[in-house]
Amino acid sequence: MSQDSKGAADMGKERLAAFSDGVVAIIITIMVLELKVPHGTSAADLIPVLPVFLGYVLSFVYVGIYWNNHHHLLALARSVTGPILWANMHLLFWLSIVPFATAWVGESGLATAPVALYGAVLIMNGVAYSILTILLVGHEGPESTLAIAMGRDWKGKMSLAIYAAAIGLAFVRPAISVALYIVVAAIWFIPDLRIERVLSAAGPET
């Protein structure tokens, strides 16, 4: 492929980032609308809605983690292509399922099927993010700043393994599965330090 044709196939990343930000904002809005106001005025009336609220907190953290790392990922990308746009849509699709899975878990009292489905949604989000990362690194090149920053992505692979274990454990002890989901969220809560280090070395974005 010539340089001219390659350049024609490349697109700016700004619209992809803006669209993704909008979808994430809508996802968070949908989740918060699932929080029902208690039918009472005492602190005890909050107890029935506590599981739904805690599920919202966990899912809010997860969506925030993906938004944060997605922002860092695009900060090191120079441009995007058609396949990258579709990979990004694939990630947004699975993120959009998070409110449904969250609501089912919260209203089920940690029943097996909802907890397992929640894990399945999380693992598909992880897979979708990995696909997006692979395509971006492939587009930028093996010697690119993004490729160097991502390395072998052991944290991503470990997270997928924990999700898979949690889904299986949902059929034995759903509470353990939820604990594992919290562990993965804690692992990713701090923005990806690999990219942070590269961004710091490169200085402010131009």
Side-chain angles (χ1 to χ4, degrees), residues 27-108:
I27 290 170
I28 292 175
T29 301
I30 292 172
M31 287 196 302
V32 77
L33 290 176
E34 290 293 331
L35 298 177
K36 307 301 181 183
V37 177
H39 298 292
T41 57
S42 67
D45 294 317
L46 293 172
I47 296 177
V49 300
L50 190 59
V52 177
F53 175 74
L54 293 177
Y56 165 77
V57 171
L58 179 60
S59 292
F60 182 91
V61 170
Y62 263 112
V63 173
I65 287 169
Y66 276 105
W67 176 82
N68 206 322
N69 284 286
H70 185 272
H71 169 74
H72 283 76
L73 199 63
L74 289 181
L76 292 179
R78 294 168 297 178
S79 61
V80 297
T81 62
I84 290 173
L85 293 178
W86 278 113
N88 193 72
M89 289 297 293
H90 181 227
L91 171 62
L92 293 177
F93 169 79
W94 287 107
L95 282 173
S96 72
I97 305 298
V98 171
F100 168 77
T102 303
W104 198 21
V105 171
E107 295 178 2
S108 71

Side-chain angles (χ1 to χ4, degrees), residues 72-74 76-77 133 136-138 140-141 143-151 195 198:
H72 283 76
L73 199 63
L74 289 181
L76 292 179
T133 300
L136 278 169
V137 170
E140 295 293 319
E143 304 300 324
S144 65
T145 304
L146 179 60
I148 294 171
M150 294 308 299
I195 296 180
V198 172

Side-chain angles (χ1 to χ4, degrees), residues 87-88 90-92 94 123-133:
N88 193 72
H90 181 227
L91 171 62
L92 293 177
W94 287 107
I123 200 170
M124 289 309 301
N125 272 285
V127 169
Y129 185 81
S130 295
I131 292 173
L132 176 62
T133 300

